[in-house]
Amino acid sequence: DLTLVQEFEKAQLKEDQLVRTDISNRIHDIVSKIYQRLISDGKFRKDPFENLSEKAELIKTLNIFDDPRIDSIAIDAARLANTDLSAIRKDDSQRSTSANQANDLLAKLEKLRNTPHVECRPDTRPEDQQSQDIVKPKPRLVLNDSVPTEIQTNISRSNVRN
């Protein structure tokens, strides 16, 4: 038997998570496409980076929770959006650095989707949240003529979705 307050808190947690998922979804596809281009020999167009810059600004305004994770995502997205495209076309080291930035941002987005930002005592923590706290990030990328197998697998999966 849930009290009215508990029911309200449960509904609020669900709504909060939906908003955070929406924020994550707004840039996940863009960052994923940028990442795929960075780890392949794909050509770089400025449009995805400009789109990411616009979304980073939007995310700042959507952070009604003052969630530091969302602020961090907005900052990282803006940093990735400001990547010097001519540098990554010429320099594999810069390309690898940018790919790692995109990879790290994707990991943060996944974590935001999977773990609500709840400030409560450990004994009142929602049980279904406990198993979702740890998200395994993808391995760091090194562009020396090969892409780690796990990254290739993730790219294959994401290409099937598109």
Side-chain angles (χ1 to χ4, degrees):
D1 292 329
L2 294 176
T3 68
L4 186 58
V5 171
Q6 289 171 324
E7 286 180 19
F8 175 77
E9 288 174 351
K10 186 176 178 181
Q12 188 64 43
L13 281 174
K14 186 175 182 177
E15 287 298 316
D16 291 353
Q17 186 58 34
L18 288 173
V19 170
R20 285 183 176 84
T21 299
D22 178 59
I23 289 170
S24 176
N25 289 342
R26 288 178 184 267
I27 66 169
H28 187 275
D29 290 341
I30 299 167
V31 175
S32 181
K33 288 175 185 175
I34 290 172
Y35 177 71
Q36 290 174 16
R37 291 288 182 167
L38 288 167
I39 64 172
S40 70
D41 289 331
K43 295 181 180 180
F44 297 99
R45 303 200 191 308
K46 65 181 179 178
D47 295 345
F49 292 89
E50 290 174 348
N51 195 1
L52 182 59
S53 180
E54 292 170 7
K55 298 293 183 182
E57 286 298 317
L58 178 62
I59 287 170
K60 288 178 189 176
T61 62
L62 292 176
N63 188 7
I64 59 174
F65 309 105
D66 291 327
D67 187 335
R69 298 173 308 161
I70 295 172
D71 289 338
S72 175
I73 287 169
I75 290 167
D76 291 352
R79 186 178 301 128
L80 181 61
N82 290 321
T83 298
D84 182 357
L85 297 183
S86 62
I88 60 175
R89 287 181 181 121
K90 298 174 189 174
D91 183 1
D92 282 345
S93 173
Q94 180 62 39
R95 184 181 183 125
S96 178
T97 299
S98 296
N100 283 324
Q101 288 174 342
N103 185 28
D104 292 345
L105 182 53
L106 288 170
K108 284 183 178 183
L109 290 167
E110 285 301 318
K111 190 167 185 176
L112 182 68
R113 286 180 179 178
N114 294 325
T115 57
H117 180 67
V118 180
E119 294 180 15
C120 58
R121 296 185 322 267
D123 60 329
T124 62
R125 187 173 178 185
E127 290 177 14
D128 58 323
Q129 179 188 345
Q130 292 176 356
S131 62
Q132 298 177 359
D133 280 349
I134 300 173
V135 175
K136 182 181 174 188
K138 296 173 186 153
R140 300 290 288 178
L141 176 67
V142 178
L143 292 176
N144 290 337
D145 297 329
S146 68
V147 176
T149 307
E150 185 177 335
I151 292 175
Q152 290 174 348
T153 304
N154 288 335
I155 292 171
S156 298
R157 282 190 215 132
S158 64
N159 286 340
V160 170
R161 282 185 252 153
N162 292 335

